[in-house]
Amino acid sequence: MDVLKDILTTIKAYETIIIHRHQRPDPDAIGSQVGLAELLRTSFPEKKIYQVGGPVEGLDFLATMDEVPDEYYEDALVIVTDTANSPRISDDRYKLGKQLIKIDHHPNDEPYGDLVWVNTNASSCSEIIVDFYHHNQSELTMNDEAARLLYAGIIGDTGRFLYPATTSHTLEVAAELMTYDFEPVDLNRELEQMPMKVAKLAGYVYQNIEVDENGAGKVILPQSLLDEYGIVDSETAAIVSLPGIIDEVLAWGIFVQQPEGYYRVRLRSKGPVINELAKKHHGGGHPLASGANAKDKAEVTVIYNEIQQLCKEYKK
Ligand code: AMP
């Protein structure tokens, strides 16, 4: 079975296509979603293509979302990018379409959808949207805006080609995208820059990270601290990767308290696999980059103990 051809055949059969992505979007969620939308708009100008999912939390320099009424879903094909589990899909009207396609690069824990294409070897969902384009190149047209968005998704999810999921294929795809008319330097700068208040929070992270003898790191950001720095949850994205450059740190959790009181847990690792741990705490993700939730301080302690255990076993 050629799922990439089947996806294109299905796309061709619909007049209306609505594309979703995950909640709390990152550059790859937006890049793959709107990159695909742009690719389809240029290739099939007669179709109505929408990108939905609500506000994009500081990433509106990449793209903004469409507002669509429920009735648009009646005869629509729905495609969801970069989202492993259905509860994380932003805007649960994804269920209202006639057919559903899942395109993702996370472990396929929940193969929702009539057609499912998952490639966990890819650096990013944006990379596999480019693979979809290559596979069907005789019928699809790339444009500058799609290239800009897909490039942004790739640099976002690879930490600008730093993380281990980066392959020679990733670089080939990025090099090809760079031949289109957009400014990669500007894009990199926009993704990298942070407001002063976030830089100050970065200082707090380095000052206060707790690291055990096996490299298990922990930073707790209580709501009172976020209020003091004037920072909301979405602005913490810039500080999540920072502990990775510390020699002594092997795997770490950033525990961001939410206004409701629970903690959003952002897990990262340089070796020990952490996504099984994430799954035990209402989360999931990649082997070395996952997210979870802790209902209270006691669950934060449990999760940190589990990170410590994983680091200890890894070091053996
Ligand atoms: P984050 O820390 O939010 O940047 O997430 C890191 C990775 O884990 C991303 O690939 C997310 O898609 C995934 N992830 C984060 N939170 C969850 C969750 N609650 N359930 C499943 N996957 C998640």
Side-chain angles (χ1 to χ4, degrees):
M1 184 180 107
D2 183 347
V3 72
L4 296 189
K5 279 268 174 265
D6 293 347
I7 291 176
L8 184 63
T9 305
T10 309
I11 286 170
K12 285 188 343 199
Y14 282 84
E15 202 179 302
T16 302
I17 300 168
I18 306 176
I19 311 181
H20 290 236
R21 38 80 191 164
H22 62 76
Q23 300 158 352
R24 291 171 168 163
D26 52 19
D28 189 36
I30 308 285
S32 59
Q33 174 196 27
V34 190
L36 175 62
E38 285 296 326
L39 186 64
L40 298 183
R41 281 186 191 113
T42 336
S43 309
F44 306 108
E46 70 289 358
K47 293 190 190 299
K48 296 187 206 90
I49 317 280
Y50 302 100
Q51 57 219 27
V52 302
V56 294
E57 302 180 3
L59 294 173
D60 39 3
F61 67 91
L62 286 178
T64 52
M65 295 294 121
D66 299 316
E67 300 277 341
V68 305
D70 290 358
E71 53 271 25
Y72 283 19
Y73 281 85
E74 270 164 29
D75 291 310
L77 168 66
V78 175
I79 304 177
V80 182
T81 68
D82 197 39
T83 312
N85 321 92
S86 57
R88 289 199 83 223
I89 301 173
S90 201
D91 193 338
D92 60 12
R93 293 181 300 166
Y94 74 90
K95 299 171 190 153
L96 302 182
K98 269 212 159 152
Q99 257 186 299
L100 179 63
I101 298 179
K102 173 185 184 182
I103 300 179
D104 190 24
H105 73 126
H106 296 90
N108 195 10
D109 292 330
E110 187 195 337
Y112 62 82
D114 305 296
L115 275 172
V116 175
W117 177 40
V118 171
N119 177 3
T120 55
N121 296 319
S123 69
S124 51
C125 196
S126 298
E127 180 180 317
I128 61 176
I129 298 296
V130 181
D131 292 339
F132 169 69
Y133 159 67
H134 283 151
H135 200 81
N136 296 296
Q137 209 157 350
S138 59
E139 296 180 83
L140 294 175
T141 311
M142 181 68 72
N143 69 7
D144 297 335
E145 183 57 4
R148 182 182 80 94
L149 287 155
L150 295 166
Y151 184 84
I154 293 172
I155 57 175
D157 254 32
T158 61
R160 277 175 283 146
F161 312 115
L162 174 70
Y163 304 146
T166 310
T167 62
S168 58
H169 180 65
T170 313
L171 295 173
E172 278 162 11
V173 164
E176 179 190 337
L177 294 173
M178 280 180 86
T179 64
Y180 288 84
D181 190 16
F182 69 94
E183 288 301 328
V185 174
D186 294 349
L187 203 51
N188 271 300
R189 192 168 296 133
E190 263 173 310
L191 287 169
E192 180 192 40
Q193 288 206 325
M194 55 174 89
M196 181 61 88
K197 60 183 182 178
V198 180
K200 291 198 188 271
L201 185 69
Y204 176 90
V205 167
Y206 285 130
Q207 291 285 350
N208 291 280
I209 186 165
E210 190 182 317
V211 186
D212 78 358
E213 69 281 10
N214 294 308
K218 170 174 80 171
V219 179
I220 299 179
L221 303 177
Q223 190 60 51
S224 55
L225 182 97
L226 297 176
D227 289 345
E228 194 187 308
Y229 282 81
I231 281 176
V232 294
D233 176 75
S234 60
E235 293 170 310
T236 61
I239 55 98
V240 176
S241 63
L242 299 182
I245 64 168
I246 304 172
D247 274 347
E248 289 79 357
V249 172
L250 180 60
W252 65 101
I254 309 257
F255 301 87
V256 187
Q257 195 176 28
Q258 303 295 304
E260 299 84 352
Y262 76 95
Y263 293 80
R264 174 184 186 185
V265 184
R266 310 189 73 173
L267 299 164
R268 298 292 187 272
S269 171
K270 295 195 261 183
V273 169
I274 35 113
N275 54 353
E276 292 303 321
L277 188 171
K279 277 191 230 164
K280 284 197 274 175
H281 299 276
H282 305 286
H286 303 284
L288 302 181
S290 297
N293 292 289
K295 64 178 181 308
D296 51 24
K297 209 64 182 292
E299 194 171 359
V300 167
T301 305
V302 171
I303 294 174
Y304 182 57
N305 288 343
E306 289 171 350
I307 302 172
Q308 288 184 295
Q309 200 52 40
L310 288 176
C311 287
K312 194 171 171 187
E313 281 160 20
Y314 186 83
K315 283 231 165 147
K316 265 189 201 156

